[in-house]
């Protein structure tokens, strides 16, 4: 703590006293959150997520599964050259492993939140932001799936069982929900960790680990015959945007934060008058 006082006038003159106190706190002394929650904004974001999920559920119920005749009439040559190779893939084990890598990404975020003091002390804020991220990304992604009704790649593959091709899910390929969730979680994790620990040497490790798991999820969905490359690229891009955007909306801007910490009060010692100014600056 550093104090600075300066008198411009004494005795018969009006003195202006500028008393500046600069308080530098690190996370070891004060866990100052880099984010803030606002009731109106959170209700709007959560409401938008819930509404979009409701719309997607309603639209999903209107999807008509393919018939045996429609499956038999499908021709992979009608698929664009960039996506066509995906129709030759089918692997149930790859599909199951994609669930594991996606869960792993969520686990990384959970472990960082619980295992680090600054994030653990701010767990409510982190949790609310993540719920908003997942609700919005899933609601919008599932709504688009229900509208586009794109057949999954395995529907064109003779090696895949017929009963799998005759489900509503078989017509919900674009865009990938796994890619959306994986990259939304990965980017959210990297951004949040970066803001709580701006000087940590572990930032590259967190980013590489989270994005690596997200990429593995996409590769496994492709190998499983569950998505085309364009499904995965669109999901990854959209998920990354939401995963970055939600923390950005909640980030405390330095200028406004300093403004809230500027304290001005009249000052007098009997022989001189002035202004007491206290400015608290928090480093993160």
């Amino acid at each position: 703590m550093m104090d600075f006082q300066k008198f411009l006038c004494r005795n018969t003159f009006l003195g202006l006293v500028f008393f500046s106190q600069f308080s530098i706190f690190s996370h070891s002394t004060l866990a100052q959150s880099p984010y803030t929650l606002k009731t109106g904004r959170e209700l709007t974001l959560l409401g938008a997520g819930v509404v979009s999920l409701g719309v997607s559920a309603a639209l999903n119920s209107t999807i008509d599964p393919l018939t045996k005749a429609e499956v038999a009439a499908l021709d992979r040559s009608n698929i664009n050259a960039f996506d066509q190779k995906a129709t030759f893939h089918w692997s149930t084990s790859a599909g199951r492993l994609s669930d594991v890598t996606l869960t792993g990404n969520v686990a990384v975020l959970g472990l960082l939140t619980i295992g680090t003091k600054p994030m653990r002390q701010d767990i409510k804020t982190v949790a609310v932001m993540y719920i908003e991220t997942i609700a919005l990304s899933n609601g919008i992604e599932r709504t688009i799936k229900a509208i586009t009704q794109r057949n999954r790649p395995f529907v064109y593959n003779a090696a895949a069982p017929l009963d799998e091709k005759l489900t509503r899910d078989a017509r919900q390929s674009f865009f990938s929900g796994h890619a959306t969730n994986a990259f939304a979680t990965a980017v959210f994790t990297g951004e949040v960790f970066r803001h709580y620990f701006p000087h940590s040497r572990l930032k590259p490790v967190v980013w590489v680990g989270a994005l690596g798991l997200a990429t593995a999820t996409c590769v496994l969905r492709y190998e499983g015959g569950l998505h085309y490359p364009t499904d995965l690229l669109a999901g990854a891009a959209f998920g990354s945007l939401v995963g970055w955007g939600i923390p950005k909306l909640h980030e405390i801007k330095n200028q406004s934060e300093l403004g809230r910490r500027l304290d001005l009060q009249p000052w007098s010692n009997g022989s001189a008058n002035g202004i007491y100014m206290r400015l608290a600056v928090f480093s993160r």
Side-chain angles (χ1 to χ4, degrees):
M1 185 78 68
M2 297 176 290
D3 296 340
F4 176 69
Q5 294 183 330
K6 181 176 182 180
F7 294 93
L8 298 179
C9 296
R10 289 178 180 273
N11 302 321
T12 60
F13 294 96
L14 178 64
L16 292 177
V17 180
F18 293 89
F19 180 74
S20 301
Q21 297 182 344
F22 294 90
S23 304
I24 310 298
F25 295 99
S26 65
H27 282 303
S28 60
T29 57
L30 178 64
Q32 177 66 22
S33 175
Y35 302 108
T36 182
L37 297 178
K38 296 181 180 179
T39 302
R41 178 181 59 200
E42 313 322 321
L43 289 176
T44 299
L45 290 173
L46 290 170
V50 171
V51 169
S52 61
L53 285 169
V55 170
S56 69
L59 290 174
N60 183 70
S61 65
T62 65
I63 298 176
D64 294 323
L66 292 170
T67 64
K68 293 181 180 179
E70 288 173 328
V71 171
L74 291 174
D75 184 359
R76 61 165 50 96
S77 65
N78 293 325
I79 305 297
N80 68 80
F82 183 67
D83 286 333
Q84 196 174 107
K85 288 184 178 180
T87 62
F88 293 93
H89 292 269
W90 169 251
S91 172
T92 55
S93 59
R96 288 192 294 268
L97 279 174
S98 70
D99 294 333
V100 174
T101 54
L102 176 58
T103 303
N105 235 333
V106 178
V108 169
L109 174 60
L111 289 173
L112 288 174
T113 303
I114 297 173
T116 60
K117 186 176 181 180
M119 292 179 67
R120 183 171 65 249
Q121 290 178 337
D122 210 23
I123 192 170
K124 173 186 172 183
T125 300
V126 175
V128 169
M129 291 194 301
Y130 186 62
I131 290 171
E132 291 170 351
T133 298
I134 294 304
L136 277 172
S137 57
N138 278 274
I140 295 173
E141 165 259 319
R142 292 179 183 181
T143 298
I144 293 176
K145 272 185 175 179
I147 293 173
T148 57
Q149 297 187 26
R150 187 184 195 186
N151 296 327
R152 293 186 184 271
F154 73 81
V155 176
Y156 295 84
N157 194 332
L162 181 60
D163 59 340
E164 293 283 348
K165 301 176 182 179
L166 303 180
T167 63
R168 284 176 175 167
D169 183 66
R171 301 194 66 190
Q172 298 183 62
S173 188
F174 185 83
F175 47 89
S176 171
H178 275 68
T180 298
N181 282 286
F183 274 88
T185 301
V187 174
F188 180 92
T189 300
E191 279 293 292
V192 168
F193 186 84
R194 177 175 72 87
H195 284 130
Y196 279 101
F197 304 97
H199 305 297
S200 174
R201 294 180 179 179
L202 293 177
K203 286 189 295 183
V205 176
V206 172
W207 274 108
V208 170
L211 291 175
L213 284 170
T215 301
T217 299
C218 291
V219 172
L220 289 167
R221 298 301 284 179
Y222 175 78
E223 292 297 329
L226 298 165
H227 285 292
Y228 304 95
T230 48
D231 299 337
L232 298 166
L233 290 172
F238 177 69
S240 296
L241 177 63
V242 179
W244 170 84
I246 293 297
K248 189 67 177 178
L249 284 175
H250 293 80
E251 184 181 351
I252 294 175
K253 304 298 186 294
N254 290 333
Q255 184 176 357
S256 59
E257 187 67 7
L258 289 174
R260 285 193 290 270
R261 282 163 168 73
L262 182 63
D263 182 23
L264 294 174
Q265 297 180 20
W267 176 91
S268 175
N269 66 357
S271 61
N273 300 308
I275 297 173
Y276 172 91
M277 181 176 72
R278 180 175 182 273
L279 181 65
V281 181
F282 297 83
S283 66
R284 302 199 247 308

